[in-house]
Amino acid sequence: MDHGGPKQKSDRDRIRQKRGAANKEIAKAARRLVKAWFDGAHGVTCIAALADAVKKADA
């Protein structure tokens, strides 16, 4: 049964590598924004910036 996923191991590895890099960028942005929030930045601004970072990483 074909579920529409990547056929080759190299394709799966490439996708996994890309997803890992995106997760790393999201985590980096999250740490930076949490620090800014604790230092007094407005919470709504930090959440919006984190949402932007997630959208950018997923693109």
Side-chain angles (χ1 to χ4, degrees):
M1 177 181 280
D2 184 21
H3 295 287
K7 304 289 187 242
Q8 300 285 331
K9 184 178 184 319
S10 60
D11 291 338
R12 290 192 306 268
D13 290 344
R14 181 178 44 79
I15 291 168
R16 186 178 297 123
Q17 187 176 30
K18 183 179 176 185
R19 188 69 233 161
N23 285 343
K24 187 175 180 181
E25 289 298 318
I26 292 168
K28 191 185 305 183
R31 284 191 300 272
R32 187 176 63 244
L33 291 167
V34 167
K35 183 181 182 320
W37 182 44
F38 283 148
D39 289 343
H42 197 263
V44 173
T45 305
C46 290
I47 291 171
L50 182 58
D52 290 341
V54 170
K55 286 180 187 175
K56 178 183 171 195
D58 284 341

